[in-house]
Amino acid sequence: MHSYHLDQFETHEAKRERLILEHLPQVHLIAGRLKEKVPDSVALDDLISAGVVGLIAAIDNFDESTGLKLKTYAEYRIRGSILDSLRGLDWASRHRRKKAKEIEAAITVSEQKLHRAPNEEEVAREMGMSLEEYQARLVEVQGLNLESLEIPVGPSGSQTLLSMVPASEEDLPSQLLERAELERLLTEAIETMPDNEKTVLALYYKEELTLREIAGILKLHISRVAELKSQAILRLRSKMNKQWPRTRGR
């Protein structure tokens, strides 16, 4: 009785589908790793979808004669497809950054006029918007994180504001005074913020709670928490841009 390999009985489509299913965990793994490096506004499901496109392309174009393993080739195509999808978000990201800068400017101008931290109504008025329109704008830019404080500093501009803040005493490099000054400025900036925004920042960054968890603690809707987080970060950006200009240290 003759024995035959399973592939001899598989149609091209059946084999293709089997390979896709076998390598789907690879897509989830790669997408999960890349998700850790992108803003919260980028959904994991979108990365997985883009990765599946790359996997299918890898299977359809794989040439066994190259000596490569399909898994190795697939990883290359999966990562490439996900990165391409992220590049496609660049326009939206630039658009969001532009809106964020407009809010920063309005916060700065309002603060100069009032000589204190402006509330939402006052910032909205400065932007010529209703409070509802302003809050909707805050939701649009909610993908911003404290990484948005990455203002280039140092002799070559290769360091950022956040990279200058040490995690512990042992991490302090030779720029002790500069780091200490930055820590002081950040602390002062946070102290001038409204209490609800300070609370959201503390729970999100210090306690590492999700927006949903914070909403439960503060008994607010998650969209309201997102608004407060966005406004708090834009306040910090506005104040730090003024007190720690980009040219400093160059």
Side-chain angles (χ1 to χ4, degrees):
M1 183 175 179
H2 296 288
S3 62
Y4 296 94
H5 192 274
L6 177 62
D7 285 356
Q8 292 178 281
F9 296 100
E10 277 188 311
T11 64
H12 173 74
E13 287 302 316
K15 180 179 180 180
R16 181 173 183 264
E17 185 174 346
R18 175 174 61 81
L19 290 173
I20 290 173
L21 292 174
E22 284 180 1
H23 289 81
L24 270 180
Q26 188 179 9
V27 173
H28 284 260
L29 181 64
I30 294 170
R33 286 174 177 168
L34 292 177
K35 176 68 178 81
E36 297 174 1
K37 302 176 182 178
V38 297
D40 294 342
S41 55
V42 179
L44 176 60
D45 286 347
D46 291 340
L47 300 185
I48 291 172
S49 296
V52 170
V53 172
L55 171 61
I56 293 173
I59 291 170
D60 289 346
N61 295 283
F62 182 59
D63 182 359
E64 294 182 1
S65 66
T66 61
L68 276 176
K69 290 183 178 180
L70 175 57
K71 182 178 180 180
T72 303
Y73 180 62
E75 179 174 357
Y76 167 76
R77 294 300 296 262
I78 292 166
R79 289 179 65 87
S81 182
I82 292 175
L83 291 174
D84 283 345
S85 74
L86 290 173
R87 292 187 191 103
L89 297 174
D90 279 354
W91 182 86
S93 180
R94 285 195 294 271
H95 190 56
R96 188 167 62 246
R97 285 197 296 271
K98 180 183 177 184
K99 290 186 174 183
K101 286 185 180 297
E102 291 171 354
I103 296 175
E104 283 180 55
I107 290 172
T108 299
V109 172
S110 296
E111 190 174 70
Q112 290 170 345
K113 289 179 179 178
L114 301 169
H115 303 290
R116 59 170 171 78
N119 59 35
E120 288 174 285
E121 289 85 355
E122 290 162 339
V123 179
R125 193 179 307 123
E126 182 63 36
M127 296 185 73
M129 295 180 172
S130 67
L131 178 60
E132 291 73 19
E133 289 173 326
Y134 174 67
Q135 290 177 338
R137 178 68 60 88
L138 287 173
V139 172
E140 287 183 58
V141 300
Q142 66 178 291
L144 290 168
N145 274 309
L146 279 181
E147 286 81 355
S148 302
L149 284 171
E150 290 183 346
I151 302 169
V153 295
S156 64
S158 59
Q159 292 177 298
T160 62
L161 279 177
L162 288 184
S163 71
M164 297 288 284
V165 180
S168 66
E169 290 284 328
E170 292 74 26
D171 294 333
L172 288 173
S174 57
Q175 303 101 329
L176 174 61
L177 292 178
E178 194 168 12
R179 285 177 179 242
E181 183 184 3
L182 177 58
E183 284 187 298
R184 179 181 61 79
L185 291 175
L186 281 171
T187 300
E188 288 178 358
I190 291 171
E191 284 303 312
T192 63
M193 295 167 60
D195 289 341
N196 55 0
E197 293 176 27
K198 281 194 287 188
T199 301
V200 169
L201 280 189
L203 292 175
Y204 190 83
Y205 289 103
K206 187 175 180 181
E207 303 300 329
E208 298 185 346
L209 299 182
T210 66
L211 294 182
R212 189 172 300 280
E213 289 170 334
I214 296 171
I217 291 173
L218 300 181
K219 293 181 171 47
L220 296 172
H221 193 278
I222 188 171
S223 63
R224 178 56 180 157
V225 175
E227 291 169 6
L228 291 171
K229 174 174 171 280
S230 295
Q231 182 162 270
I233 291 168
L234 289 169
R235 265 191 220 278
L236 282 178
R237 282 174 55 99
S238 171
K239 190 166 287 289
M240 295 308 297
N241 276 325
K242 181 171 64 177
Q243 297 191 33
W244 195 285
R246 293 173 184 268
T247 56
R248 185 172 189 154
R250 290 191 179 186

